[in-house]
Amino acid sequence: MKHYLFILFYLFCNVFTYAFHGTFWVYLFCFILLSAVVVWGSFTIELGYFVNSITHKRTKIKEVALTFDDGPTEYTPQFLDLLKENQIKATFFCIGKQIEKYPDTFKRIIVEGHTIGNHTLSHSNSTGFLSTSKMVEEIQKCDEIMYSVGNIVTDLYRPPFGVTNPNIAKAIAKTGKKSIGWNVRSLDTITDDEKKIYRRITQTMKPGNIILLHDTSEKTYRVLGDLLVFLKNKKYSAFTIDSIIKSKKK
Ligand SMILES: [Zn+2]
């Protein structure tokens, strides 16, 4: 955590309060502002506020990573078909409970040479409020399912909703995971406007980008189709997240 931010903020609050003759409302204002900073920090994975996440690859080669979260789902096979046709390898951050629902699709992801990452057992909406031990359990149970269904072990972890906080930071350390973020959010779960999603990804296209997508809808599947054409035209290749870790280990 960036403690110096708190210290700076504390000093700022004191000066501010002193200047305005310290009323209760000034304190309240400072408190709300500080809370807003903390919430912003925990939701913005690019900042590395609580956890240092990998958000891009340092490379001069024209290559980007396509990452798909929250699967496997009923839509995943279509995504796999498209990736296969285009000979593109991606990284899938899978949810334990989804793997239990679609074990064959999970195995197919592995067989077709894509990279797998842990995205917790249940992708709970209350992820940001869980204790460290509960978070550890969420990560380990997903690992167990991955191993029993796909005979695979991964040290890649992507925080659900990109949320990080001190408990999650501890859980990541305890389970020996590497936190993987992104630097391009497609917003494919937020908007239905396919053109907007496509534009968000292509307008910021640069070597080393890690693009966040979800293999959870027909819409994203269609965007992926256009995106793969774009990458081909611009002569971009794709890298998988494990390649960053491997190159760092050298
Ligand atoms: Zn997710």
Side-chain angles (χ1 to χ4, degrees), residues 145-163:
I145 295 167
M146 285 182 165
Y147 190 71
S148 71
V149 175
N151 198 23
I152 199 164
V153 177
T154 178
D155 56 357
L156 308 180
Y157 170 73
R158 174 166 277 169
F161 313 106
V163 171

Side-chain angles (χ1 to χ4, degrees), residues 197-217:
I197 300 167
Y198 175 80
R199 273 203 307 270
R200 271 189 74 92
I201 303 167
T202 53
Q203 279 176 354
T204 53
M205 190 63 66
K206 63 175 188 300
N209 275 359
I210 296 179
I211 303 163
L212 169 66
L213 293 152
H214 295 80
D215 50 329
T216 56
S217 73

Side-chain angles (χ1 to χ4, degrees), residues 53-247:
S53 300
I54 293 171
T55 57
H56 63 280
K57 181 181 187 177
R58 281 188 191 189
T59 176
K60 290 197 176 86
I61 303 167
K62 284 173 86 175
E63 55 174 356
V64 292
L66 303 178
T67 66
F68 297 98
D69 286 14
D70 299 0
T73 69
E74 56 181 304
Y75 301 101
T76 310
Q78 288 174 266
F79 284 74
L80 291 173
D81 290 343
L82 200 52
L83 292 170
K84 199 175 184 179
E85 277 166 35
N86 288 273
Q87 294 172 304
I88 294 279
K89 300 285 184 243
T91 306
F92 288 81
F93 290 94
C94 298
I95 298 172
K97 285 190 171 164
Q98 290 300 117
I99 298 170
E100 285 181 323
K101 274 190 207 162
Y102 301 94
D104 291 335
T105 307
F106 182 66
K107 285 180 205 163
R108 190 182 153 192
I109 299 173
I110 299 165
V111 167
E112 296 189 357
H114 302 290
T115 297
I116 295 286
N118 184 315
H119 200 40
T120 72
L121 171 71
S122 63
H123 204 280
S124 163
N125 282 332
S126 48
T127 293
F129 305 99
L130 298 180
S131 64
T132 303
S133 62
K134 191 81 195 131
M135 254 339 277
V136 167
E137 198 184 310
E138 276 283 322
I139 296 170
Q140 285 176 341
K141 288 227 164 114
C142 182
D143 274 345
E144 284 164 23
I145 295 167
M146 285 182 165
Y147 190 71
S148 71
V149 175
N151 198 23
I152 199 164
V153 177
T154 178
D155 56 357
L156 308 180
Y157 170 73
R158 174 166 277 169
F161 313 106
V163 171
T164 55
N165 61 34
N167 285 349
I168 294 173
K170 278 182 223 153
I172 291 171
K174 274 191 177 169
T175 52
K177 298 291 181 202
K178 299 207 166 42
S179 178
I180 311 299
W182 54 79
N183 62 348
V184 180
R185 250 186 112 191
S186 66
L187 297 182
D188 61 340
T189 53
I190 292 163
T191 176
D192 280 330
D193 187 341
E194 289 169 25
K195 285 201 181 88
K196 201 171 162 185
I197 300 167
Y198 175 80
R199 273 203 307 270
R200 271 189 74 92
I201 303 167
T202 53
Q203 279 176 354
T204 53
M205 190 63 66
K206 63 175 188 300
N209 275 359
I210 296 179
I211 303 163
L212 169 66
L213 293 152
H214 295 80
D215 50 329
T216 56
S217 73
E218 196 79 40
K219 164 186 70 190
T220 302
Y221 166 73
R222 285 193 294 266
V223 173
L224 177 64
D226 293 341
L227 180 58
L228 292 177
V229 172
F230 178 89
L231 292 178
K232 203 178 241 174
N233 289 341
K234 299 280 176 188
K235 298 194 165 46
Y236 264 89
S237 61
F239 67 89
T240 52
I241 301 299
D242 57 328
S243 72
I244 306 177
I245 314 286
K246 276 178 199 154
S247 64

